[in-house]
Structures are given as C-alpha cells and as structure tokens.
Amino acid sequence: MHHTHILFEHPLNEKMRTWLRIEFLIEQLTATLPVTDHAGALHFFRNVGDLLDVLERGEVRTELLKELERQQKKLQAWTDVPGVDLNRIEALRQQLKACSSTLMSAPRMGQLLREDRLIGLVRQRLSIPGGCCSFDLPTLHIWLHLPQVQRDQQTEQWLTSLQPLQQALSLIMDLVRNSAPFRKQTSLHGFYQDNGEDADLLRLQLPMSDQLYPQISGHKSRFAIRFLPLDSENGQIPDRLDFELACC
C-alpha cells in the first residue's frame, strides 16, 4: 500500500535523540524473530551490540525516571480541569508509578546481555569485515544448529531483561507523541522556521508525492527546516509546500 503521507520525527535534545535510538533498536531486535539462520542472527546481535553501546553512554535510567516523574506532575495539573476524565488520568498515573518502581528496582540496564558469553564473542567480531564467518565464530555456528526451541528460549530471556526499559520508554514516547496536535504549516521556497517552546520532538507529515525530505537544525527554543528533494539532480522544490507539524 502506498501511503500518501510520510511521517518524519526529529529530536530537539540529546535525551530524545537517545530515546528514539533505543526505541528503533528494540524494534529492530524483534523484527527478525525467531532467529533461524546466520542473516537473522547477525541482524539480532548487531542490534544488541548497538543497544549496549547506547546504554553505556548516558544516564538513560535517570533520564527516564525524571521524565516519568514529570509526566505524573503534568497529569496532576490536569485533575483540576473541569470536564476531564479523572478515571483515565488516575489509570495513567498508576501506570507511570508502576513503571517507575519497576525501572528503579530493575538490575543495571542491559546487564544480562553484557555478561552473556555468546553476545560478547559475536560483538567482538562484528567490527571485523566478514568477521562472523563460521571459522571465526564456531560458537555462533553451533548455536545456530541447536534445536529452534533452545534458541527461542535464549532470545526470549535476553529480551525479557529489557522489558523494564521498554515499558517505561514506550509509555513515555506515547505521552510525548500525543502531547501536541498536528497543525498545517506552509514552507516558502523549501524553508520554514519557528520557536520550539521547549519541545522535545518535532513530528512532520509530508505528502509522499513531492518526494521531499526535511533537514532539521535547531534545539528546544528555535528550529529551522529545509526541504530537499530525494532526487538531488532533477527534483523540484515547490514555492509553497503545505505540511503538517506537531511540536511535542
């Protein structure tokens, strides 16, 4: 099916950049399950390695806990608004609270994956061109010949260890994405700029027919969008381009 519009998301700070990357990597991890062959295994282990690299870099847990707290405060403020659905707000607050305590009591993020011997061996070889051949990684070779059930149990165990992270993140990303409506904007000669008003995330809906993509620069207070054609030689940029924008 051809979509008439395409959604682009762009982070306006480091925290959101990290969250979008983690979300993407976890999606990629589950995309090729069950792991049945070399191609699927390399896709899986490469994403595990990337995820561990991202988790090692920042204070991911601290940032997520801060955000869960912030979202709870935001919901608290809503309770005074007349005509608001108090049950829904209370249910969401409980969800945020439960997520917080699960995340707080969880072991160090990615710990189980970091300590796994097979993941460690594959991770070491991934940076070597073609370094995951059967002669380079006989452990992976034999792992791929185990009964499928055994491999499924192991991948399941690895993924379960990421659940506290995944649940907190998907709840937060849902709330962030739903925090602002799309509004129609118009760019002139492929350019648009505005104030971000402390937004974390820009979301753009572009008509697919123009085959344009956005190049976004800026941070929470100001941002600029330049629209560029996918076909850099012959592509046209319309004088006026209507698109939808949400500042979340």
Side-chain angles (χ1 to χ4, degrees), residues 15-16 19 63-78 89 92-93 96-97 100 168 171-179 200 248:
K15 165 189 82 177
M16 184 54 69
W19 290 350
E63 290 287 2
L64 288 171
L65 286 168
K66 265 194 223 157
E67 187 64 25
L68 289 166
E69 188 63 37
R70 192 175 78 107
Q71 292 289 350
Q72 283 183 62
K73 288 206 178 93
K74 269 172 86 171
L75 286 173
Q76 186 59 46
W78 274 100
I89 285 186
L92 254 177
R93 275 188 59 203
L96 287 164
K97 262 185 152 141
S100 273
L171 185 55
I172 286 168
M173 293 306 295
D174 256 4
L175 289 166
V176 169
R177 287 181 173 118
N178 289 314
S179 67
D200 288 311
C248 305

PDB file of all heavy atoms in Angstrom, residues 15-16 19 63-78 89 92-93 96-97 100 168 171-179 200 248:
ATOM      1  N   LYS A  15      18.599  13.887  25.059  1.00  0.00           N
ATOM      2  CA  LYS A  15      17.786  12.879  25.733  1.00  0.00           C
ATOM      3  C   LYS A  15      16.829  12.211  24.743  1.00  0.00           C
ATOM      4  O   LYS A  15      16.762  10.987  24.656  1.00  0.00           O
ATOM      5  CB  LYS A  15      17.019  13.600  26.846  1.00  0.00           C
ATOM      6  CG  LYS A  15      15.873  12.881  27.473  1.00  0.00           C
ATOM      7  CD  LYS A  15      15.083  13.820  28.399  1.00  0.00           C
ATOM      8  CE  LYS A  15      14.096  14.680  27.628  1.00  0.00           C
ATOM      9  NZ  LYS A  15      13.271  15.530  28.500  1.00  0.00           N
ATOM     10  N   MET A  16      16.129  13.027  23.957  1.00  0.00           N
ATOM     11  CA  MET A  16      15.162  12.489  22.987  1.00  0.00           C
ATOM     12  C   MET A  16      15.872  11.739  21.864  1.00  0.00           C
ATOM     13  O   MET A  16      15.378  10.731  21.372  1.00  0.00           O
ATOM     14  CB  MET A  16      14.306  13.638  22.434  1.00  0.00           C
ATOM     15  CG  MET A  16      13.209  13.192  21.486  1.00  0.00           C
ATOM     16  SD  MET A  16      12.085  11.917  22.120  1.00  0.00           S
ATOM     17  CE  MET A  16      11.181  12.809  23.368  1.00  0.00           C
ATOM     18  N   TRP A  19      16.541   8.344  23.217  1.00  0.00           N
ATOM     19  CA  TRP A  19      15.308   7.546  23.341  1.00  0.00           C
ATOM     20  C   TRP A  19      14.830   7.023  21.997  1.00  0.00           C
ATOM     21  O   TRP A  19      14.417   5.876  21.885  1.00  0.00           O
ATOM     22  CB  TRP A  19      14.210   8.386  23.997  1.00  0.00           C
ATOM     23  CG  TRP A  19      14.470   8.668  25.439  1.00  0.00           C
ATOM     24  CD1 TRP A  19      15.444   8.097  26.220  1.00  0.00           C
ATOM     25  CD2 TRP A  19      13.767   9.580  26.283  1.00  0.00           C
ATOM     26  NE1 TRP A  19      15.388   8.616  27.499  1.00  0.00           N
ATOM     27  CE2 TRP A  19      14.368   9.516  27.568  1.00  0.00           C
ATOM     28  CE3 TRP A  19      12.694  10.452  26.086  1.00  0.00           C
ATOM     29  CZ2 TRP A  19      13.928  10.287  28.637  1.00  0.00           C
ATOM     30  CZ3 TRP A  19      12.250  11.218  27.150  1.00  0.00           C
ATOM     31  CH2 TRP A  19      12.864  11.131  28.420  1.00  0.00           C
ATOM     32  N   GLU A  63      17.315   9.584  33.342  1.00  0.00           N
ATOM     33  CA  GLU A  63      16.508  10.448  32.466  1.00  0.00           C
ATOM     34  C   GLU A  63      15.073   9.938  32.354  1.00  0.00           C
ATOM     35  O   GLU A  63      14.120  10.710  32.382  1.00  0.00           O
ATOM     36  CB  GLU A  63      17.130  10.529  31.060  1.00  0.00           C
ATOM     37  CG  GLU A  63      18.433  11.307  30.991  1.00  0.00           C
ATOM     38  CD  GLU A  63      18.257  12.816  31.132  1.00  0.00           C
ATOM     39  OE1 GLU A  63      17.112  13.272  31.319  1.00  0.00           O
ATOM     40  OE2 GLU A  63      19.277  13.526  31.063  1.00  0.00           O
ATOM     41  N   LEU A  64      14.927   8.610  32.214  1.00  0.00           N
ATOM     42  CA  LEU A  64      13.580   8.032  32.099  1.00  0.00           C
ATOM     43  C   LEU A  64      12.785   8.239  33.389  1.00  0.00           C
ATOM     44  O   LEU A  64      11.605   8.597  33.351  1.00  0.00           O
ATOM     45  CB  LEU A  64      13.657   6.539  31.759  1.00  0.00           C
ATOM     46  CG  LEU A  64      14.095   6.165  30.336  1.00  0.00           C
ATOM     47  CD1 LEU A  64      14.337   4.673  30.224  1.00  0.00           C
ATOM     48  CD2 LEU A  64      13.061   6.600  29.301  1.00  0.00           C
ATOM     49  N   LEU A  65      13.440   8.027  34.526  1.00  0.00           N
ATOM     50  CA  LEU A  65      12.757   8.215  35.814  1.00  0.00           C
ATOM     51  C   LEU A  65      12.321   9.675  35.996  1.00  0.00           C
ATOM     52  O   LEU A  65      11.220   9.951  36.456  1.00  0.00           O
ATOM     53  CB  LEU A  65      13.661   7.782  36.974  1.00  0.00           C
ATOM     54  CG  LEU A  65      13.832   6.261  37.133  1.00  0.00           C
ATOM     55  CD1 LEU A  65      14.968   5.939  38.099  1.00  0.00           C
ATOM     56  CD2 LEU A  65      12.533   5.593  37.595  1.00  0.00           C
ATOM     57  N   LYS A  66      13.193  10.612  35.609  1.00  0.00           N
ATOM     58  CA  LYS A  66      12.860  12.039  35.684  1.00  0.00           C
ATOM     59  C   LYS A  66      11.632  12.336  34.836  1.00  0.00           C
ATOM     60  O   LYS A  66      10.740  13.086  35.240  1.00  0.00           O
ATOM     61  CB  LYS A  66      14.030  12.880  35.152  1.00  0.00           C
ATOM     62  CG  LYS A  66      14.973  13.381  36.224  1.00  0.00           C
ATOM     63  CD  LYS A  66      15.862  14.454  35.608  1.00  0.00           C
ATOM     64  CE  LYS A  66      17.313  14.301  36.028  1.00  0.00           C
ATOM     65  NZ  LYS A  66      18.262  14.920  35.106  1.00  0.00           N
ATOM     66  N   GLU A  67      11.610  11.751  33.642  1.00  0.00           N
ATOM     67  CA  GLU A  67      10.503  12.001  32.716  1.00  0.00           C
ATOM     68  C   GLU A  67       9.196  11.392  33.225  1.00  0.00           C
ATOM     69  O   GLU A  67       8.128  12.000  33.110  1.00  0.00           O
ATOM     70  CB  GLU A  67      10.846  11.446  31.328  1.00  0.00           C
ATOM     71  CG  GLU A  67       9.843  11.786  30.249  1.00  0.00           C
ATOM     72  CD  GLU A  67       9.733  13.274  29.955  1.00  0.00           C
ATOM     73  OE1 GLU A  67      10.702  14.025  30.205  1.00  0.00           O
ATOM     74  OE2 GLU A  67       8.651  13.685  29.477  1.00  0.00           O
ATOM     75  N   LEU A  68       9.269  10.191  33.819  1.00  0.00           N
ATOM     76  CA  LEU A  68       8.067   9.561  34.392  1.00  0.00           C
ATOM     77  C   LEU A  68       7.494  10.451  35.494  1.00  0.00           C
ATOM     78  O   LEU A  68       6.286  10.623  35.620  1.00  0.00           O
ATOM     79  CB  LEU A  68       8.395   8.163  34.931  1.00  0.00           C
ATOM     80  CG  LEU A  68       8.684   7.081  33.883  1.00  0.00           C
ATOM     81  CD1 LEU A  68       9.327   5.854  34.526  1.00  0.00           C
ATOM     82  CD2 LEU A  68       7.418   6.661  33.132  1.00  0.00           C
ATOM     83  N   GLU A  69       8.393  11.037  36.271  1.00  0.00           N
ATOM     84  CA  GLU A  69       8.010  11.958  37.343  1.00  0.00           C
ATOM     85  C   GLU A  69       7.342  13.213  36.770  1.00  0.00           C
ATOM     86  O   GLU A  69       6.291  13.657  37.236  1.00  0.00           O
ATOM     87  CB  GLU A  69       9.282  12.335  38.129  1.00  0.00           C
ATOM     88  CG  GLU A  69       9.060  13.130  39.397  1.00  0.00           C
ATOM     89  CD  GLU A  69       8.249  12.375  40.443  1.00  0.00           C
ATOM     90  OE1 GLU A  69       8.429  11.137  40.568  1.00  0.00           O
ATOM     91  OE2 GLU A  69       7.427  13.017  41.119  1.00  0.00           O
ATOM     92  N   ARG A  70       7.965  13.753  35.731  1.00  0.00           N
ATOM     93  CA  ARG A  70       7.458  14.973  35.086  1.00  0.00           C
ATOM     94  C   ARG A  70       6.059  14.743  34.501  1.00  0.00           C
ATOM     95  O   ARG A  70       5.168  15.582  34.621  1.00  0.00           O
ATOM     96  CB  ARG A  70       8.436  15.408  33.988  1.00  0.00           C
ATOM     97  CG  ARG A  70       8.194  16.801  33.443  1.00  0.00           C
ATOM     98  CD  ARG A  70       9.279  17.182  32.454  1.00  0.00           C
ATOM     99  NE  ARG A  70       9.073  16.550  31.168  1.00  0.00           N
ATOM    100  CZ  ARG A  70       8.649  17.211  30.069  1.00  0.00           C
ATOM    101  NH1 ARG A  70       8.369  18.494  30.134  1.00  0.00           N
ATOM    102  NH2 ARG A  70       8.503  16.579  28.924  1.00  0.00           N
ATOM    103  N   GLN A  71       5.886  13.572  33.877  1.00  0.00           N
ATOM    104  CA  GLN A  71       4.578  13.254  33.279  1.00  0.00           C
ATOM    105  C   GLN A  71       3.509  13.093  34.358  1.00  0.00           C
ATOM    106  O   GLN A  71       2.358  13.448  34.148  1.00  0.00           O
ATOM    107  CB  GLN A  71       4.675  11.983  32.423  1.00  0.00           C
ATOM    108  CG  GLN A  71       5.522  12.116  31.164  1.00  0.00           C
ATOM    109  CD  GLN A  71       4.886  12.991  30.079  1.00  0.00           C
ATOM    110  OE1 GLN A  71       3.726  13.370  30.156  1.00  0.00           O
ATOM    111  NE2 GLN A  71       5.675  13.330  29.061  1.00  0.00           N
ATOM    112  N   GLN A  72       3.902  12.544  35.519  1.00  0.00           N
ATOM    113  CA  GLN A  72       2.949  12.426  36.624  1.00  0.00           C
ATOM    114  C   GLN A  72       2.497  13.806  37.105  1.00  0.00           C
ATOM    115  O   GLN A  72       1.317  14.023  37.373  1.00  0.00           O
ATOM    116  CB  GLN A  72       3.572  11.653  37.798  1.00  0.00           C
ATOM    117  CG  GLN A  72       3.627  10.154  37.566  1.00  0.00           C
ATOM    118  CD  GLN A  72       4.182   9.408  38.773  1.00  0.00           C
ATOM    119  OE1 GLN A  72       3.612   9.447  39.853  1.00  0.00           O
ATOM    120  NE2 GLN A  72       5.299   8.725  38.589  1.00  0.00           N
ATOM    121  N   LYS A  73       3.448  14.734  37.191  1.00  0.00           N
ATOM    122  CA  LYS A  73       3.112  16.110  37.599  1.00  0.00           C
ATOM    123  C   LYS A  73       2.173  16.761  36.593  1.00  0.00           C
ATOM    124  O   LYS A  73       1.244  17.477  36.960  1.00  0.00           O
ATOM    125  CB  LYS A  73       4.391  16.941  37.748  1.00  0.00           C
ATOM    126  CG  LYS A  73       5.227  16.563  38.967  1.00  0.00           C
ATOM    127  CD  LYS A  73       6.071  17.749  39.430  1.00  0.00           C
ATOM    128  CE  LYS A  73       6.884  17.407  40.680  1.00  0.00           C
ATOM    129  NZ  LYS A  73       8.244  16.916  40.353  1.00  0.00           N
ATOM    130  N   LYS A  74       2.448  16.523  35.306  1.00  0.00           N
ATOM    131  CA  LYS A  74       1.587  17.084  34.256  1.00  0.00           C
ATOM    132  C   LYS A  74       0.157  16.570  34.403  1.00  0.00           C
ATOM    133  O   LYS A  74      -0.811  17.322  34.268  1.00  0.00           O
ATOM    134  CB  LYS A  74       2.133  16.720  32.865  1.00  0.00           C
ATOM    135  CG  LYS A  74       3.100  17.744  32.310  1.00  0.00           C
ATOM    136  CD  LYS A  74       3.770  17.274  31.041  1.00  0.00           C
ATOM    137  CE  LYS A  74       2.957  17.554  29.788  1.00  0.00           C
ATOM    138  NZ  LYS A  74       3.752  17.273  28.561  1.00  0.00           N
ATOM    139  N   LEU A  75       0.042  15.260  34.684  1.00  0.00           N
ATOM    140  CA  LEU A  75      -1.292  14.668  34.864  1.00  0.00           C
ATOM    141  C   LEU A  75      -1.989  15.253  36.092  1.00  0.00           C
ATOM    142  O   LEU A  75      -3.188  15.491  36.082  1.00  0.00           O
ATOM    143  CB  LEU A  75      -1.184  13.150  34.996  1.00  0.00           C
ATOM    144  CG  LEU A  75      -0.874  12.376  33.706  1.00  0.00           C
ATOM    145  CD1 LEU A  75      -0.623  10.909  34.030  1.00  0.00           C
ATOM    146  CD2 LEU A  75      -2.012  12.490  32.699  1.00  0.00           C
ATOM    147  N   GLN A  76      -1.209  15.471  37.146  1.00  0.00           N
ATOM    148  CA  GLN A  76      -1.737  16.060  38.383  1.00  0.00           C
ATOM    149  C   GLN A  76      -2.407  17.406  38.076  1.00  0.00           C
ATOM    150  O   GLN A  76      -3.501  17.700  38.560  1.00  0.00           O
ATOM    151  CB  GLN A  76      -0.582  16.250  39.387  1.00  0.00           C
ATOM    152  CG  GLN A  76      -1.006  16.717  40.761  1.00  0.00           C
ATOM    153  CD  GLN A  76      -1.986  15.751  41.440  1.00  0.00           C
ATOM    154  OE1 GLN A  76      -1.767  14.552  41.437  1.00  0.00           O
ATOM    155  NE2 GLN A  76      -3.057  16.291  41.990  1.00  0.00           N
ATOM    156  N   ALA A  77      -1.752  18.189  37.223  1.00  0.00           N
ATOM    157  CA  ALA A  77      -2.283  19.510  36.861  1.00  0.00           C
ATOM    158  C   ALA A  77      -3.613  19.394  36.111  1.00  0.00           C
ATOM    159  O   ALA A  77      -4.472  20.266  36.199  1.00  0.00           O
ATOM    160  CB  ALA A  77      -1.262  20.260  36.019  1.00  0.00           C
ATOM    161  N   TRP A  78      -3.765  18.303  35.374  1.00  0.00           N
ATOM    162  CA  TRP A  78      -4.998  18.104  34.606  1.00  0.00           C
ATOM    163  C   TRP A  78      -6.207  17.829  35.493  1.00  0.00           C
ATOM    164  O   TRP A  78      -7.350  18.025  35.086  1.00  0.00           O
ATOM    165  CB  TRP A  78      -4.837  16.929  33.645  1.00  0.00           C
ATOM    166  CG  TRP A  78      -4.223  17.321  32.338  1.00  0.00           C
ATOM    167  CD1 TRP A  78      -2.915  17.166  31.965  1.00  0.00           C
ATOM    168  CD2 TRP A  78      -4.868  17.939  31.216  1.00  0.00           C
ATOM    169  NE1 TRP A  78      -2.710  17.651  30.702  1.00  0.00           N
ATOM    170  CE2 TRP A  78      -3.906  18.129  30.214  1.00  0.00           C
ATOM    171  CE3 TRP A  78      -6.182  18.352  30.978  1.00  0.00           C
ATOM    172  CZ2 TRP A  78      -4.197  18.713  28.987  1.00  0.00           C
ATOM    173  CZ3 TRP A  78      -6.479  18.929  29.742  1.00  0.00           C
ATOM    174  CH2 TRP A  78      -5.485  19.109  28.768  1.00  0.00           C
ATOM    175  N   ILE A  89      -7.140   9.634  33.866  1.00  0.00           N
ATOM    176  CA  ILE A  89      -5.934  10.278  34.411  1.00  0.00           C
ATOM    177  C   ILE A  89      -5.349   9.447  35.553  1.00  0.00           C
ATOM    178  O   ILE A  89      -4.140   9.227  35.623  1.00  0.00           O
ATOM    179  CB  ILE A  89      -6.249  11.718  34.869  1.00  0.00           C
ATOM    180  CG1 ILE A  89      -6.374  12.590  33.616  1.00  0.00           C
ATOM    181  CG2 ILE A  89      -5.153  12.265  35.780  1.00  0.00           C
ATOM    182  CD1 ILE A  89      -6.535  14.048  33.880  1.00  0.00           C
ATOM    183  N   LEU A  92      -3.659   6.332  34.191  1.00  0.00           N
ATOM    184  CA  LEU A  92      -2.361   6.678  33.606  1.00  0.00           C
ATOM    185  C   LEU A  92      -1.321   6.939  34.689  1.00  0.00           C
ATOM    186  O   LEU A  92      -0.171   6.509  34.576  1.00  0.00           O
ATOM    187  CB  LEU A  92      -2.482   7.915  32.725  1.00  0.00           C
ATOM    188  CG  LEU A  92      -2.443   7.703  31.215  1.00  0.00           C
ATOM    189  CD1 LEU A  92      -2.649   9.018  30.489  1.00  0.00           C
ATOM    190  CD2 LEU A  92      -1.114   7.082  30.775  1.00  0.00           C
ATOM    191  N   ARG A  93      -1.745   7.639  35.744  1.00  0.00           N
ATOM    192  CA  ARG A  93      -0.805   7.927  36.840  1.00  0.00           C
ATOM    193  C   ARG A  93      -0.327   6.645  37.500  1.00  0.00           C
ATOM    194  O   ARG A  93       0.850   6.496  37.830  1.00  0.00           O
ATOM    195  CB  ARG A  93      -1.457   8.847  37.866  1.00  0.00           C
ATOM    196  CG  ARG A  93      -1.335  10.325  37.490  1.00  0.00           C
ATOM    197  CD  ARG A  93      -1.798  11.224  38.593  1.00  0.00           C
ATOM    198  NE  ARG A  93      -1.021  11.007  39.818  1.00  0.00           N
ATOM    199  CZ  ARG A  93      -1.480  11.318  41.029  1.00  0.00           C
ATOM    200  NH1 ARG A  93      -2.696  11.820  41.183  1.00  0.00           N
ATOM    201  NH2 ARG A  93      -0.732  11.127  42.091  1.00  0.00           N
ATOM    202  N   LEU A  96       2.236   5.064  35.238  1.00  0.00           N
ATOM    203  CA  LEU A  96       3.523   5.756  35.338  1.00  0.00           C
ATOM    204  C   LEU A  96       4.249   5.366  36.622  1.00  0.00           C
ATOM    205  O   LEU A  96       5.454   5.138  36.635  1.00  0.00           O
ATOM    206  CB  LEU A  96       3.325   7.275  35.293  1.00  0.00           C
ATOM    207  CG  LEU A  96       2.960   7.880  33.933  1.00  0.00           C
ATOM    208  CD1 LEU A  96       2.410   9.286  34.092  1.00  0.00           C
ATOM    209  CD2 LEU A  96       4.177   7.910  33.016  1.00  0.00           C
ATOM    210  N   LYS A  97       3.486   5.291  37.711  1.00  0.00           N
ATOM    211  CA  LYS A  97       4.057   4.924  39.008  1.00  0.00           C
ATOM    212  C   LYS A  97       4.625   3.515  38.978  1.00  0.00           C
ATOM    213  O   LYS A  97       5.740   3.266  39.435  1.00  0.00           O
ATOM    214  CB  LYS A  97       2.975   4.989  40.087  1.00  0.00           C
ATOM    215  CG  LYS A  97       2.954   6.254  40.890  1.00  0.00           C
ATOM    216  CD  LYS A  97       1.933   6.129  41.996  1.00  0.00           C
ATOM    217  CE  LYS A  97       2.269   6.976  43.194  1.00  0.00           C
ATOM    218  NZ  LYS A  97       1.059   7.584  43.759  1.00  0.00           N
ATOM    219  N   SER A 100       7.779   3.358  37.011  1.00  0.00           N
ATOM    220  CA  SER A 100       8.877   3.936  37.786  1.00  0.00           C
ATOM    221  C   SER A 100       9.462   2.930  38.760  1.00  0.00           C
ATOM    222  O   SER A 100      10.677   2.754  38.822  1.00  0.00           O
ATOM    223  CB  SER A 100       8.398   5.147  38.589  1.00  0.00           C
ATOM    224  OG  SER A 100       8.490   6.290  37.811  1.00  0.00           O
ATOM    225  N   ALA A 168       8.842   1.466  30.137  1.00  0.00           N
ATOM    226  CA  ALA A 168       8.941   2.878  30.521  1.00  0.00           C
ATOM    227  C   ALA A 168       9.055   3.755  29.282  1.00  0.00           C
ATOM    228  O   ALA A 168       8.362   4.769  29.144  1.00  0.00           O
ATOM    229  CB  ALA A 168      10.151   3.095  31.426  1.00  0.00           C
ATOM    230  N   LEU A 171       5.777   3.963  27.115  1.00  0.00           N
ATOM    231  CA  LEU A 171       4.771   4.790  27.792  1.00  0.00           C
ATOM    232  C   LEU A 171       5.112   6.280  27.628  1.00  0.00           C
ATOM    233  O   LEU A 171       4.261   7.104  27.262  1.00  0.00           O
ATOM    234  CB  LEU A 171       4.702   4.416  29.280  1.00  0.00           C
ATOM    235  CG  LEU A 171       3.624   5.085  30.125  1.00  0.00           C
ATOM    236  CD1 LEU A 171       2.239   4.894  29.539  1.00  0.00           C
ATOM    237  CD2 LEU A 171       3.652   4.550  31.558  1.00  0.00           C
ATOM    238  N   ILE A 172       6.377   6.613  27.865  1.00  0.00           N
ATOM    239  CA  ILE A 172       6.821   7.998  27.730  1.00  0.00           C
ATOM    240  C   ILE A 172       6.658   8.504  26.301  1.00  0.00           C
ATOM    241  O   ILE A 172       6.122   9.587  26.056  1.00  0.00           O
ATOM    242  CB  ILE A 172       8.295   8.149  28.181  1.00  0.00           C
ATOM    243  CG1 ILE A 172       8.377   8.076  29.715  1.00  0.00           C
ATOM    244  CG2 ILE A 172       8.896   9.452  27.683  1.00  0.00           C
ATOM    245  CD1 ILE A 172       9.790   7.923  30.252  1.00  0.00           C
ATOM    246  N   MET A 173       7.109   7.692  25.327  1.00  0.00           N
ATOM    247  CA  MET A 173       7.041   8.125  23.928  1.00  0.00           C
ATOM    248  C   MET A 173       5.592   8.321  23.477  1.00  0.00           C
ATOM    249  O   MET A 173       5.293   9.223  22.707  1.00  0.00           O
ATOM    250  CB  MET A 173       7.774   7.135  23.017  1.00  0.00           C
ATOM    251  CG  MET A 173       9.286   7.095  23.227  1.00  0.00           C
ATOM    252  SD  MET A 173      10.116   8.706  23.100  1.00  0.00           S
ATOM    253  CE  MET A 173       9.837   9.090  21.367  1.00  0.00           C
ATOM    254  N   ASP A 174       4.698   7.473  23.975  1.00  0.00           N
ATOM    255  CA  ASP A 174       3.270   7.630  23.692  1.00  0.00           C
ATOM    256  C   ASP A 174       2.752   8.975  24.190  1.00  0.00           C
ATOM    257  O   ASP A 174       2.060   9.695  23.476  1.00  0.00           O
ATOM    258  CB  ASP A 174       2.465   6.531  24.422  1.00  0.00           C
ATOM    259  CG  ASP A 174       2.025   5.457  23.452  1.00  0.00           C
ATOM    260  OD1 ASP A 174       2.409   5.539  22.265  1.00  0.00           O
ATOM    261  OD2 ASP A 174       1.293   4.537  23.871  1.00  0.00           O
ATOM    262  N   LEU A 175       3.101   9.290  25.439  1.00  0.00           N
ATOM    263  CA  LEU A 175       2.639  10.541  26.040  1.00  0.00           C
ATOM    264  C   LEU A 175       3.230  11.756  25.315  1.00  0.00           C
ATOM    265  O   LEU A 175       2.535  12.737  25.059  1.00  0.00           O
ATOM    266  CB  LEU A 175       2.988  10.579  27.529  1.00  0.00           C
ATOM    267  CG  LEU A 175       2.177   9.622  28.413  1.00  0.00           C
ATOM    268  CD1 LEU A 175       2.815   9.489  29.796  1.00  0.00           C
ATOM    269  CD2 LEU A 175       0.732  10.096  28.556  1.00  0.00           C
ATOM    270  N   VAL A 176       4.512  11.664  24.971  1.00  0.00           N
ATOM    271  CA  VAL A 176       5.160  12.773  24.269  1.00  0.00           C
ATOM    272  C   VAL A 176       4.509  12.981  22.897  1.00  0.00           C
ATOM    273  O   VAL A 176       4.126  14.091  22.527  1.00  0.00           O
ATOM    274  CB  VAL A 176       6.684  12.528  24.106  1.00  0.00           C
ATOM    275  CG1 VAL A 176       7.302  13.539  23.148  1.00  0.00           C
ATOM    276  CG2 VAL A 176       7.385  12.589  25.460  1.00  0.00           C
ATOM    277  N   ARG A 177       4.357  11.879  22.159  1.00  0.00           N
ATOM    278  CA  ARG A 177       3.795  11.991  20.798  1.00  0.00           C
ATOM    279  C   ARG A 177       2.360  12.510  20.804  1.00  0.00           C
ATOM    280  O   ARG A 177       1.948  13.190  19.880  1.00  0.00           O
ATOM    281  CB  ARG A 177       3.850  10.637  20.092  1.00  0.00           C
ATOM    282  CG  ARG A 177       5.261  10.249  19.686  1.00  0.00           C
ATOM    283  CD  ARG A 177       5.305   8.920  18.952  1.00  0.00           C
ATOM    284  NE  ARG A 177       6.654   8.663  18.438  1.00  0.00           N
ATOM    285  CZ  ARG A 177       7.410   7.647  18.808  1.00  0.00           C
ATOM    286  NH1 ARG A 177       6.977   6.763  19.689  1.00  0.00           N
ATOM    287  NH2 ARG A 177       8.619   7.493  18.296  1.00  0.00           N
ATOM    288  N   ASN A 178       1.620  12.172  21.852  1.00  0.00           N
ATOM    289  CA  ASN A 178       0.227  12.619  21.908  1.00  0.00           C
ATOM    290  C   ASN A 178       0.050  13.980  22.576  1.00  0.00           C
ATOM    291  O   ASN A 178      -1.060  14.442  22.758  1.00  0.00           O
ATOM    292  CB  ASN A 178      -0.629  11.574  22.632  1.00  0.00           C
ATOM    293  CG  ASN A 178      -0.801  10.329  21.785  1.00  0.00           C
ATOM    294  OD1 ASN A 178      -1.099  10.405  20.596  1.00  0.00           O
ATOM    295  ND2 ASN A 178      -0.589   9.163  22.385  1.00  0.00           N
ATOM    296  N   SER A 179       1.178  14.603  22.946  1.00  0.00           N
ATOM    297  CA  SER A 179       1.069  15.851  23.716  1.00  0.00           C
ATOM    298  C   SER A 179       0.769  17.059  22.839  1.00  0.00           C
ATOM    299  O   SER A 179       0.414  18.120  23.331  1.00  0.00           O
ATOM    300  CB  SER A 179       2.355  16.100  24.509  1.00  0.00           C
ATOM    301  OG  SER A 179       3.411  16.361  23.609  1.00  0.00           O
ATOM    302  N   ASP A 200      10.446  18.714  22.860  1.00  0.00           N
ATOM    303  CA  ASP A 200      11.457  17.645  22.836  1.00  0.00           C
ATOM    304  C   ASP A 200      11.573  17.025  21.449  1.00  0.00           C
ATOM    305  O   ASP A 200      12.605  16.475  21.080  1.00  0.00           O
ATOM    306  CB  ASP A 200      11.056  16.512  23.803  1.00  0.00           C
ATOM    307  CG  ASP A 200      11.215  16.912  25.258  1.00  0.00           C
ATOM    308  OD1 ASP A 200      12.287  17.430  25.596  1.00  0.00           O
ATOM    309  OD2 ASP A 200      10.266  16.693  26.041  1.00  0.00           O
ATOM    310  N   CYS A 248       6.165  18.497  19.971  1.00  0.00           N
ATOM    311  CA  CYS A 248       5.791  17.750  21.178  1.00  0.00           C
ATOM    312  C   CYS A 248       6.759  18.031  22.332  1.00  0.00           C
ATOM    313  O   CYS A 248       7.947  18.081  22.124  1.00  0.00           O
ATOM    314  CB  CYS A 248       5.794  16.263  20.882  1.00  0.00           C
ATOM    315  SG  CYS A 248       4.728  15.854  19.491  1.00  0.00           S
TER     316      CYS A 248
END
